[in-house]
Amino acid sequence: MPVLLLAEVNNAKLASDAVARALSALSPLGERIDVLIMADEGAEAAAEAARLDGVGQVLLAQDGTLAHGLAEPAAALVASLAERYTHIAAPATAFSKNILPRVAALLDVMVISDVTSIRDAETFDRPVYAGNAVQTVTSTDRIKVLGIRTSVFQGVEKGTVAAPVETIAAMPDPGLSTWVEDIVAVSERPDLASARVVVSGGRGVGSREQFDTIIRLADRMGAAVGASRAAVDLGYAPNDWQVGQTGKVVAPDLYVAVGISGAIQHLAGMKDSKIIVAINKDEDAPIFRIADYALVGDLFSIIPELTAKL
Ligand code: FAD
């Protein structure tokens, strides 16, 4: 039986390349993958999804109740479709972390979150203990509900033929929640979770004002800006820049960690980056154990010099 993959829509488009990455994550199942678009304006996103390699069909539900990712109407729709599928999956983002637990509860099955590898239709790997161990989970639930950690997968390419798009009706709104407003930080910079280059600052940066040196370097490199939890807690950087176990999980081509010691909770969010550059004045800082390039020195002289040279 086919697999249902939930796609997040943002401004009428697919929110990111997470659907393409989830498609490659799900490919070991060897089943048809249907993509579900839930939005008020979803036609463009549906057309985008239909062109991705490996998509069997796109289901398009357009309704005002589905406009803002509210868990209750979205989960009601997903649960109503569930009998047609053996697996219901979604990229592990705030969008799906809101919806999947409710879907699982309605179906009386468990959620298997942060899947990093699919061994077979019932067996999945996921990181535990801040990424220090890999847990292999076998589920005998009749429907598997999976959150996919998409940062560890390459996205599929566009296919040659577009998959069909079927319009389906939304379920009646359960009326349990009401959207009030979204307060979204607008930024010209790449999205942190999917950026190719990330420059992150930690406690060593010293103040909110001095964090501007990190931002200038990131802008020079066309990078997203990240931060350690210490930097966020001290108010140097906003909460949604936090990388780590309780922040975002990133796996860019290049990760530059500045004034970050390398606590395991931080590493849990960035250790899968392809190339890691660490800048720290303490040559024994744990971050250097996983760094490909280690610059030992004072960030206040290294960063301006690096920025000027770039
Ligand atoms: P520090 O550990 O204080 O390191 C600062 C570094 O800056 C030091 O290595 C120092 O040598 C260097 N430095 C200082 N001055 C300079 C200078 N002038 N030039 C160069 N280097 C300099 N942390 C996260 O980051 N993300 C998470 O998601 C996260 N989740 C957590 C969840 C739990 C349950 C817990 C308990 C902790 C979590 N933490 C998380 C916190 C984590 O344990 C660390 O406290 C935090 O990562 C430390 O941040 P830091 O490296 O910026 O600060």
Side-chain angles (χ1 to χ4, degrees):
M1 274 164 73
V3 179
L4 184 66
L5 173 61
L6 278 51
E8 183 178 355
V9 176
N10 192 357
N11 287 330
K13 297 196 165 98
L14 289 182
S16 66
D17 63 354
V19 172
R21 290 171 185 257
L23 282 164
S24 69
L26 294 165
S27 61
L29 292 171
E31 300 290 348
R32 196 185 85 200
I33 302 172
D34 292 352
V35 175
L36 174 62
I37 304 281
M38 297 181 282
D40 52 347
E41 300 277 333
E44 201 181 328
E48 250 183 278
R51 285 194 299 272
L52 292 171
D53 205 16
V55 174
Q57 188 182 21
V58 177
L59 303 178
L60 171 60
Q62 296 191 99
D63 193 272
T65 59
L66 300 171
H68 303 289
L70 288 183
E72 291 80 1
L77 175 60
V78 175
S80 75
L81 299 169
E83 291 306 324
R84 302 194 219 163
Y85 297 96
T86 51
H87 298 73
I88 295 172
T93 61
F95 168 78
S96 76
K97 286 175 185 173
N98 194 21
I99 296 170
L100 288 185
R102 193 170 186 89
V103 170
L106 290 170
L107 300 175
D108 196 19
V109 299
M110 67 175 178
V111 183
I112 304 170
S113 57
D114 280 317
V115 169
T116 52
S117 166
I118 294 180
R119 295 186 176 220
D120 60 41
E122 301 198 321
T123 313
F124 312 92
D125 289 342
R126 56 187 299 276
V128 290
Y129 300 121
N132 284 307
V134 175
Q135 181 182 60
T136 302
V137 181
T138 298
S139 165
T140 52
D141 282 339
R142 70 201 152 82
I143 299 173
K144 303 339 173 224
V145 176
L146 310 173
I148 309 287
R149 187 175 279 199
T150 47
S151 57
V152 297
F153 298 95
Q154 294 285 340
V156 296
E157 298 294 329
K158 282 188 183 147
T160 42
V161 189
V165 177
E166 183 193 335
T167 303
I168 59 169
M171 292 295 283
D173 185 355
L176 295 168
S177 56
T178 314
W179 174 78
V180 178
E181 67 174 324
D182 287 330
I183 302 174
V184 181
V186 181
S187 169
E188 298 286 300
R189 293 192 191 92
D191 171 52
L192 177 57
S194 55
R196 287 184 53 247
V197 182
V198 174
V199 179
S200 283
R203 195 199 304 266
V205 177
S207 71
R208 161 70 201 88
E209 291 67 35
Q210 286 167 173
F211 208 88
D212 284 345
T213 57
I214 303 295
I215 294 172
R216 274 195 291 277
L217 175 61
D219 285 346
R220 189 62 62 88
M221 297 174 78
V225 187
S228 70
R229 177 158 150 184
V232 169
D233 287 350
L234 288 162
Y236 302 172
N239 189 275
D240 58 345
W241 289 3
Q242 184 177 318
V243 171
Q245 183 188 343
T246 43
K248 297 215 165 87
V249 177
V250 302
D253 293 342
L254 173 61
Y255 188 90
V256 185
V258 186
I260 292 178
S261 60
I264 52 164
Q265 295 90 352
H266 188 79
L267 304 188
M270 46 63 75
K271 66 180 165 43
D272 291 324
S273 305
K274 290 186 191 63
I275 293 180
I276 297 170
V277 175
I279 301 171
N280 199 303
K281 67 179 182 186
D282 173 8
E283 64 180 29
D284 294 323
I287 189 87
F288 286 139
R289 286 189 218 134
I290 63 154
D292 299 284
Y293 295 91
L295 275 167
V296 180
D298 185 353
L299 71 92
F300 296 109
S301 53
I302 293 175
I303 298 299
E305 190 182 342
L306 192 57
T307 309
K309 284 196 170 140
L310 283 165

